[in-house]
Amino acid sequence: MDLPKATVYRILDSLITHRVVTEREGRYEIGPATLFLADAYRSQVVFSEIARPFL
């Protein structure tokens, strides 16, 4: 992505505010909101139905 640093920092700041990303020791990590969203998606979709065409 060819975005200015200021834009990237504003996006990261918004993601941190919503706990989608966390910052620890100058590094960014997946935040708890991301795991919550993934779990909500998982509970709606049966994994075996998604995996069946690939098995």
Side-chain angles (χ1 to χ4, degrees), residues 2-45:
D2 191 26
L3 295 173
K5 283 186 179 182
T7 301
V8 173
Y9 283 120
R10 278 197 315 270
I11 292 169
L12 281 170
D13 186 53
S14 179
L15 293 173
I16 290 169
T17 298
H18 295 289
R19 300 181 60 186
V20 175
V21 172
T22 58
E23 181 182 8
R24 188 178 305 171
E25 299 176 7
R27 298 187 67 167
Y28 297 97
E29 302 174 344
I30 293 174
T34 305
L35 299 175
F36 176 76
L37 292 171
D39 188 51
Y41 176 78
R42 185 187 57 82
S43 69
Q44 292 179 359
V45 177

